[in-house]
Amino acid sequence: MNDLADRARRLRSLPSSCGPVRLIAVDGHAGSGKTTFAGRLASALGGAPVLHLDDLATHEELFAWADRIRAQVLDPLSRGEPARYTPYDWTARRFGPARTLEPAPVMLIEGVGAGRAAVRPFLAGLLWLELERARSWERGRHRDGPGLTEFWDGWTVAEQRHFADDPSYPFADAVIRQVPEGYVWLEGPRVTAGTNRFLTQGED
């Protein structure tokens, strides 16, 4: 049920999707646990690179980063070249020094909107972290503290608008539910609709 090592083996067996890379998106509502899950899955993959979408978004462009990820990450990787992107500094409100992501057998993209339409053609799989929206946002607000209340007020409106216009969940290959023992992997809407079988067979 919660054996990430087994899931990692299955991910490595997927066909490459972005040049030599099997690119896996981890999407879900803000506060749903995507970063923690992606970190654990990356460790199970032997230290797979993780791109955090917080590094591509900005205060002014919470979701208007599609062109940026395409030019800086997806296009280079699809050519078998390193991705080179400039992470955004949320404190200084400016982009910082460039970082390089070398192509790897499996790479993860983690963040709200990781499974958006502009990214999906480059994905080997889309994973959705299952946690109800209001509870996710409550967790996020508690995590970040009262100093970011105004930011969260704006974020929730922007996230709701984004998923209304460009939903990820209907295209998820697997839905990940956190339980006390770890994670349960369920077939996602894309699989149950008969598009493919991906990695899951119920809660095995």
Side-chain angles (χ1 to χ4, degrees), residues 98-121:
R99 295 179 185 170
T100 299
L101 283 175
E102 297 288 340
V106 182
M107 299 179 68
L108 307 179
I109 298 178
E110 172 274 320
V112 179
R116 68 191 305 171
V119 178
R120 284 198 297 273

Side-chain angles (χ1 to χ4, degrees), residues 2-89:
N2 60 348
D3 185 0
L4 288 183
D6 177 64
R7 301 297 177 177
R9 286 192 294 271
R10 300 192 197 189
L11 290 175
R12 293 190 196 96
S13 71
L14 292 173
S16 58
S17 60
C18 187
V21 177
R22 295 153 186 84
L23 198 60
I24 306 298
V26 179
D27 206 336
H29 297 295
S32 60
K34 298 179 300 301
T35 302
T36 298
F37 171 77
R40 292 174 178 172
L41 182 58
S43 294
L45 286 161
V50 181
L51 174 67
H52 302 283
L53 291 179
D54 284 350
D55 288 339
L56 296 181
T58 72
H59 284 90
E60 293 75 27
E61 299 176 318
L62 294 177
F63 290 99
W65 42 260
D67 291 343
R68 191 173 301 129
I69 194 173
R70 177 71 182 260
Q72 298 182 4
V73 178
L74 301 176
D75 284 348
L77 291 178
S78 67
R79 298 190 297 265
E81 301 170 359
R84 186 173 174 82
Y85 68 102
T86 52
Y88 182 69
D89 186 324

Side-chain angles (χ1 to χ4, degrees), residues 129-146:
L129 260 290
E130 183 184 61
L131 188 65
E132 193 270 331
R133 182 177 66 188
R135 187 178 172 203
S136 295
W137 290 348
E138 181 183 3
R139 283 178 47 173
R141 287 177 182 271
H142 178 74
R143 176 195 65 202
D144 293 343

